[in-house]
Amino acid sequence: MAEYAELYEKLKKEKAELLEKLEQSRTLGQPSMERKEGSPFGKREEEADEASELEKRLALEERLRESLKEVEHALEKYEAGTYGLCDSCGQRIEEGRLEAIPQASLCLSCKAKQSKEMKGMR
Ligand SMILES: [Zn+2]
């Protein structure tokens, strides 16, 4: 598995970055203690702003968590000695694909099949 050592390092770095971003998002999302006094209209607008900010933050966190799951899965595969093999068919994942997306767990054809199935479900 030495051939993937570089990608493994990349994944570990990616994981640390994702954890950091999640942490940051959590810290930023703390409700602010000081509220600005203003006209009733101004206040209402502010509250609406906060609600959409919260939604955005939750959507971002959701994406970060999804990516983190993928990265962690790839790290587990590396430790199990199956890194670079497709989760679905067991074939080697194309090297170019791994270099572009180190956390890829499916080969191109399985990935294409999966997205087709997902589209069909909707
Ligand atoms: Zn496959």
Side-chain angles (χ1 to χ4, degrees):
M1 281 288 147
E3 54 188 314
Y4 292 127
E6 223 172 284
L7 292 176
Y8 182 63
E9 289 304 312
K10 239 176 160 173
L11 282 166
K12 276 202 295 192
K13 231 175 96 185
E14 179 80 19
K15 185 182 169 182
E17 270 170 32
L18 285 168
L19 285 172
E20 202 177 305
K21 278 186 201 159
L22 266 172
E23 192 54 43
Q24 264 174 13
S25 170
R26 241 174 250 151
T27 322
L28 286 174
Q30 298 293 331
S32 56
M33 283 299 149
E34 16 178 328
R35 286 199 174 243
K36 271 176 247 157
E37 294 293 327
S39 69
F41 297 110
K43 203 174 175 194
R44 206 170 290 164
E45 257 170 48
E46 209 175 287
E47 271 168 20
D49 261 12
E50 264 169 39
S52 69
E53 278 302 305
L54 183 70
E55 260 169 47
K56 259 191 263 172
R57 189 169 59 81
L58 289 177
L60 176 73
E61 271 185 34
E62 186 67 35
R63 273 206 301 276
L64 288 173
R65 257 193 287 268
E66 281 298 310
S67 313
L68 187 62
K69 235 195 289 175
E70 282 170 19
V71 169
E72 276 178 340
H73 180 63
L75 287 170
E76 274 165 24
K77 281 177 78 174
Y78 191 93
E79 268 140 40
T82 57
Y83 181 74
L85 300 179
C86 175
D87 270 2
S88 180
C89 68
Q91 295 294 310
R92 272 180 151 240
I93 299 171
E94 298 79 2
E95 240 171 83
R97 176 165 163 74
L98 279 177
E99 266 163 40
I101 317 167
Q103 65 270 43
S105 58
L106 292 174
C107 71
L108 271 180
S109 57
C110 287
K111 180 78 195 172
K113 228 164 71 186
Q114 193 197 48
S115 10
K116 238 191 226 166
E117 274 165 19
M118 276 167 81
K119 253 180 228 161
M121 270 159 56
R122 276 181 199 167

